[in-house]
Each structure stands twice: as structure tokens, then as C-alpha cells.
Amino acid sequence: TAPRLYEDECDIHLVPELRGQYQRRGQQREIPTPGNNRKQAVFGFLNVLTGEWHFWLTLRKRSFDFLTCLMELYRIYPQGPILLFLDNASIHKSKLTLRWLANHPRFIVCYLPAYSGHQTNPVEKVWWALKAEHMANEMYPSLEALQDAIYGFFATFSRERALRLTVRHEREHAAQPVEYAQAA
């Protein structure tokens, strides 16, 4: 069976993401913010059949960075077709990406419907969990400490947890048929 990999990328900011939290009156937690924001790009791929999670930290979210991830996936899945579900981000449809995909026919690309990322891509649930558990209301002293927190989160991110997110995702959207446009 061909792996079904859903992909998404996100930025994790050094400036903390502020979220509501319960606190005793007069004991509110102070959340410092750095003078200059920096961000960390993260590419994530979820195999919805096995729960395998693959991720890479990159400087930016460019076509070149995306293709570097695909080259690694080509190595991880050395035989047979690889179904790749992507949103409509420009890096997924750039000339460089399309040319590379044309030369690597094992990747069968299906584009998700426009503006449907949170509804049709289970990787969004992974980002929500990461941000809720390690980024919300948390100030890291450096980009390296932020990267360590990301690696720490995924070190304990089990296949079972990934599949629970996927099952919930598929259950939520089972009644809504989705048509996928395949890459030309």
C-alpha cells in the first residue's frame, strides 16, 4: 500500500503566542517578549496509514526547502508510489517544484481544495497540539531553545497520538466528500 502523506508547513515564532489561561486574581503570570521576533520554519508530513511523522526545521519556507524534504522522503520510502496531499501554497506549485516532481514520478500529488487546510489536512491538528503544549504563553531565550522545544515535542509524539488526530480528523469530515485535483 502506498504511503498517504499529508504535508503542511508552519512558522513558530520566538515571540510567544498568547492564549487565555486561568490564574488566581493578583497572581497573573508575566509573559516577556523579545525585542526582535525571529521565527523557525517547520515542514511536517503525516502518513495517515501508519501514523509516521516526518518533520524538518528549515530557515525558510521556500520551494528549495520543500524539495529538500521530498528528497528525504524519497530515501525513507525507497520503493513504490508515494501519495502526497498538499495545499495550494505557491511553493507546492512553483516552476522548480513542478519540474522536480515531473522528474520523480513516484510522487503522486493531490492538491487539497483551496482554503480548506484546517478542514482537510490533519497536519493542522499536529501544529495546534505543538503550539498549545509548547509555544502558547512560553518565552524561549533563543532560537536554539525554541528548536530544542520543537524537537522535544516530536520526540514524544507517538504514532498512536498521530493516528488519534487522524481518526478524529477523518471522523469529523467523513460526511463531507472532498474532490482532489491531481497535479498535471
Side-chain angles (χ1 to χ4, degrees):
T1 300
R4 288 178 27 195
L5 299 173
Y6 281 77
E7 186 275 346
D8 195 35
E9 58 283 333
C10 77
D11 285 321
I12 305 293
H13 294 265
L14 199 54
V15 169
E17 191 170 311
L18 299 179
R19 298 222 178 137
Q21 57 185 0
Y22 294 102
Q23 300 172 13
R24 290 183 182 267
R25 191 176 300 225
Q27 296 179 0
Q28 284 82 11
R29 180 176 169 208
E30 237 179 75
I31 301 171
T33 59
N36 295 321
N37 188 25
R38 294 174 67 194
K39 61 185 175 182
Q40 176 62 62
V42 186
F43 283 85
F45 296 79
L46 176 63
N47 184 335
V48 296
L49 298 177
T50 65
E52 284 182 278
W53 172 253
H54 310 285
F55 74 100
W56 289 272
L57 304 186
T58 61
L59 290 175
R60 297 190 195 119
K61 299 183 302 186
R62 300 171 302 184
S63 296
F64 175 80
D65 302 304
F66 174 62
L67 293 177
T68 300
C69 299
L70 292 186
M71 286 184 243
E72 282 298 310
L73 290 171
Y74 212 72
R75 185 186 59 73
I76 292 168
Y77 299 97
Q79 297 176 346
I82 302 167
L83 298 176
L84 191 59
F85 294 86
L86 305 172
D87 62 20
N88 291 278
S90 60
I91 63 170
H92 301 149
K93 293 183 171 186
S94 70
K95 289 180 185 178
L96 179 64
T97 298
L98 295 177
R99 189 170 40 245
W100 191 90
L101 288 169
N103 290 318
H104 295 83
R106 287 185 43 227
F107 281 103
I108 300 169
V109 176
C110 299
Y111 291 102
L112 299 171
Y115 306 107
S116 67
H118 296 291
Q119 292 144 349
T120 58
N121 193 341
V123 176
E124 295 287 350
K125 306 281 197 245
V126 176
W127 299 147
W128 292 353
L130 169 65
K131 291 177 181 182
E133 293 174 31
H134 286 277
M135 305 302 141
N137 303 324
E138 192 64 47
M139 168 68 184
Y140 292 96
S142 66
L143 196 55
E144 293 75 20
L146 179 71
Q147 293 165 345
D148 289 344
I150 295 168
Y151 282 118
F153 175 80
F154 289 126
T156 62
F157 189 71
S158 68
R159 289 180 182 205
E160 292 75 23
R161 184 167 183 201
L163 288 173
R164 278 195 308 271
L165 291 172
T166 303
V167 167
R168 184 170 57 215
H169 165 81
E170 289 186 358
R171 189 176 26 207
E172 290 170 358
H173 300 96
Q176 303 169 0
V178 176
E179 293 183 26
Y180 298 101
Q182 192 164 353

